Amino acid sequence: MSGGDMAKPLLGHQNTERDPSIMPAAGRTIGVLGSGDFARSLAIRLVCSGFKVVVGSRNPKRKAGLFPSAAEVTFQAEAVKKTDVIFVAVFREHYSTLCDLADVLAGKILVDVSNNTEINHHKESNAEYLASLFPACTVVKGFNVVSAWTLQSGARDGNKQVPICSNNQEAKRTVAEIAQVMGFTPVDMGCMSSACEIENIPLRLLPAWKIPTFLALGLFLCFFTYNLVRQVIHPYITEQKNKFYKIPVEVVNTTLPCVAYVMLSLVYLPGVLAACSQLYYGTKYRRFPDWLDQWLQHRKQIGLLSFFCAALHAVYSLCLPMRRSHRYQLIETAVKQAVEKKMNIWVEEEVWRMEIYISVGIIALGLLSLLAITSLPSIANSLNWREFSFIQSTLGFIALVISTLHTLTYGWSRAFDENQYKFYLPPTYTLTLLVPCTIILAKVVFSLPCVRQRLLRIRRGWEKGRYVKFVLPSPTGEYSSGETSSNV
Ligand code: NAP
């Protein structure tokens, strides 16, 4: 997984720098227009952070009891007069009803905290709309990513980034200071044209997870169908045996490791493809195709989904002996052996296969857990680049090799047993080995000194066929310049 991806803050752009002069912000009076859920939570947090709060409501008498006693609840116009910074905790649809306040609001900072119900719902952002209604005010977009609940839970909920944008630097700075005093981390998102982007943030549903999730679901569906045909449909058609009871646990449990293993290999495959492309073109400056770029960026999510499937596989496997079907089968086998008077059923090879198979499986799961934990931003940030790349790249590759051993010991000689080819379909594990074995082979090739050296040079900026200037002394002693290829 790319370290850059992990080290990246939740939101791009630089954090607004902490300023030693921020403390005076506490103690100033902040206005809040509206008395709903957000306004109430905001007022509580502002009061707890040392601000004086004045709330502007259309019906202050009725709403006053909902606010902490330290906050003053009054009519909208009264509240606006008492402060220069006003949070507009009102829905966009009701902005126009505030137009009567235009005169008292003139010259003040309005903080637009509103959200929409759909991405890019309106042509212009809510903040730009508010600015157009109140041209004499300075509008700052911010705090919309914070929920009323987060505001109330206060510092216990940990730090949270608050993206802020405005066309006025001074106003943006003032709001950033307030956010800092409240325990948030303001993130400068630039000018007002970013408001739309900020308003879309709370509406996005796990954007980075879409492709990896579809990939995992697609793989699950393919392997599930394949296993269903082999384990349930085949005995039903060829021997009229009813094995449908296997669907909820056994078929799922043979599908999950396939998905986990293939997904893990898909974390390392784009790296191999990228290296092949760099070796082929002899440069690292050629852009990868978009699909490869996208793939590289989604490695963290693909890896985490692989871990998720592997963990489920472990739990399913532990529960296998608990099933009633398993108990019946066990008794049936025991009875059969008693009838056949078989005393010694110990098969040394099978015992060893199982011991190794389980042991390497546990190690692989342990390594995958380590990869998953270190991909969490808080842990990743505590590692330096070398530590991070050692865990994600080296240990990750070792996890792939150990998973391959787990798969091979599980399959053992079944690939060479023609009874295992149900409807001429090879055992599932042989299919899953395809991509990981290609990756392991490619990694072995990349570690050959001649290939490794070339790759290292390319990654340090060397380019095939690049022409460099050289300077030669002429017979007369003067210097003449020319060009030659550096590809020697
Ligand atoms: P809410 O509970 O419905 O409160 C909205 C408030 O707007 C009302 O209490 C009302 O206060 C005031 N208001 C002023 N003019 C109004 C009018 N003409 N018609 C109706 N109400 C009017 O909504 P909310 O959840 O607090 O959300 C307020 C804003 O914060 C929204 O823009 C929302 O997108 C944003 N926001 C909310 C959350 C959240 O977690 N709730 C999170 C982020 C952002 P008075 O009756 O006292 O005037």
Side-chain angles (χ1 to χ4, degrees):
M1 281 171 227
S2 87
D5 212 23
M6 312 297 157
K8 229 169 41 178
L10 180 64
L11 296 158
H13 305 270
Q14 217 182 341
N15 278 8
T16 304
E17 276 181 15
R18 281 185 182 268
D19 191 317
S21 66
I22 59 164
M23 287 324 286
R28 75 191 294 173
T29 304
I30 308 289
V32 180
L33 279 180
S35 62
D37 294 337
F38 191 84
R40 208 161 43 245
S41 305
L42 181 68
I44 294 171
R45 184 78 178 248
L46 283 168
V47 166
C48 292
S49 308
F51 291 99
K52 289 188 188 117
V53 178
V54 53
V55 179
S57 168
R58 290 169 304 165
N59 194 342
K61 270 196 186 150
R62 219 178 72 195
K63 304 289 176 73
L66 302 171
F67 286 83
S69 53
E72 180 187 348
V73 184
T74 179
F75 288 102
Q76 290 174 333
E78 283 302 307
V80 169
K81 277 183 203 158
K82 294 186 176 174
T83 171
D84 312 328
V85 183
I86 300 131
F87 283 79
V88 184
V90 171
F91 284 104
R92 175 193 171 119
E93 297 75 45
H94 305 135
Y95 283 176
S96 55
T97 64
L98 303 174
C99 283
D100 294 345
L101 305 168
D103 288 342
V104 267
L105 282 172
K108 310 214 165 175
I109 297 171
L110 298 184
V111 185
D112 182 296
V113 301
S114 65
N115 279 320
N116 290 314
T117 45
E118 284 168 38
I119 288 180
N120 297 327
H121 193 180
H122 303 281
K123 245 195 209 154
E124 61 184 349
S125 65
N126 297 350
E128 285 167 313
Y129 173 59
L130 186 68
S132 72
L133 290 179
F134 299 96
C137 298
T138 308
V139 175
V140 177
K141 180 80 208 179
F143 284 87
N144 61 309
V145 298
V146 185
S147 70
W149 184 85
T150 308
L151 278 168
Q152 282 213 22
S153 57
R156 275 169 296 141
D157 197 37
N159 208 352
K160 184 144 170 76
Q161 292 182 335
V162 172
I164 290 171
C165 76
S166 174
N167 287 339
N168 186 308
Q169 287 299 326
E170 200 45 48
K172 194 161 57 179
R173 201 177 132 89
T174 305
V175 176
E177 285 173 5
I178 295 169
Q180 270 187 329
V181 176
M182 289 168 77
F184 294 108
T185 305
V187 180
D188 189 346
M189 297 282 282
C191 55
M192 195 49 102
S193 52
S194 304
C196 205
E197 192 188 335
I198 297 179
E199 283 168 16
N200 285 338
I201 292 172
L203 299 175
R204 293 218 170 90
L205 183 68
L206 306 170
W209 286 87
K210 234 179 238 169
I211 296 174
T213 308
F214 280 124
L215 183 69
L217 286 177
L219 281 171
F220 186 89
L221 219 67
C222 291
F223 281 119
F224 184 84
T225 314
Y226 194 85
N227 289 327
L228 186 77
V229 170
R230 281 177 49 82
Q231 295 177 22
V232 179
I233 310 287
H234 181 267
Y236 185 71
I237 291 181
T238 55
E239 302 164 54
Q240 280 75 52
K241 277 189 182 161
N242 182 351
K243 303 266 182 179
F244 285 90
Y245 73 89
K246 285 186 171 183
I247 294 175
V249 179
E250 265 185 64
V251 178
V252 171
N253 193 35
T254 39
T255 303
L256 283 170
C258 299
V259 180
Y261 184 40
V262 173
M263 291 285 279
L264 181 64
S265 64
L266 293 182
V267 173
Y268 295 95
L269 185 59
V272 168
L273 294 177
C276 288
S277 153
Q278 288 176 339
L279 282 169
Y280 181 75
Y281 292 109
T283 178
K284 69 166 186 175
Y285 298 111
R286 194 188 155 94
R287 268 205 81 224
F288 296 133
D290 279 348
W291 59 267
L292 186 55
D293 247 357
Q294 286 272 327
W295 193 351
L296 286 161
Q297 282 168 26
H298 284 107
R299 284 179 296 174
K300 172 179 164 176
Q301 287 76 16
I302 297 175
L304 286 172
L305 284 173
S306 159
F307 167 66
F308 176 68
C309 293
L312 283 184
H313 168 53
V315 177
Y316 267 94
S317 301
L318 282 174
C319 295
L320 285 179
M322 289 182 197
R323 295 168 311 144
R324 194 151 296 274
S325 58
H326 177 80
R327 287 185 214 169
Y328 288 151
Q329 277 168 355
L330 212 64
I331 296 168
E332 211 176 279
T333 318
V335 170
K336 255 188 207 164
Q337 278 163 3
V339 170
E340 290 168 16
K341 296 201 169 79
K342 268 191 195 167
M343 297 310 284
N344 189 6
I345 51 150
W346 187 276
V347 183
E348 190 73 14
E349 184 186 308
E350 269 303 294
V351 170
W352 273 101
R353 178 185 79 82
M354 197 79 172
E355 302 289 309
I356 299 170
Y357 156 63
I358 291 175
S359 178
V360 286
I362 293 170
I363 296 172
L365 184 64
L367 285 174
L368 281 183
S369 320
L370 194 68
L371 295 180
I373 291 167
T374 48
S375 74
L376 298 173
S378 54
I379 310 277
N381 289 343
S382 68
L383 302 170
N384 67 29
W385 171 242
R386 196 161 173 208
E387 291 162 346
F388 183 82
S389 94
F390 171 74
I391 294 172
Q392 293 295 333
S393 184
T394 314
L395 283 189
F397 180 65
I398 292 172
L400 185 70
V401 173
I402 292 179
S403 306
T404 305
L405 286 177
H406 178 63
T407 312
L408 285 171
T409 43
Y410 166 78
W412 209 244
S413 56
R414 263 185 273 179
F416 309 107
D417 178 359
E418 64 178 41
N419 291 330
Q420 294 293 326
Y421 286 72
K422 314 272 168 73
F423 291 138
Y424 301 104
L425 298 174
T428 324
Y429 84 95
T430 55
L431 301 183
T432 61
L433 281 166
L434 226 63
V435 185
C437 285
T438 313
I439 293 168
I440 293 169
L441 200 72
K443 288 269 188 188
V444 171
V445 173
F446 292 157
S447 67
L448 295 175
C450 53
V451 184
R452 191 179 141 81
Q453 281 304 317
R454 190 176 164 91
L455 205 53
L456 279 177
R457 279 168 72 200
I458 289 170
R459 286 180 178 168
R460 289 193 67 85
W462 176 86
E463 282 184 279
K464 180 171 86 174
R466 190 186 61 184
Y467 286 89
V468 293
K469 280 235 169 201
F470 69 95
V471 180
L472 276 181
S474 71
T476 58
E478 288 168 345
Y479 284 83
S480 65
S481 68
E483 284 185 333
T484 187
S485 166
S486 68
N487 185 24
V488 282

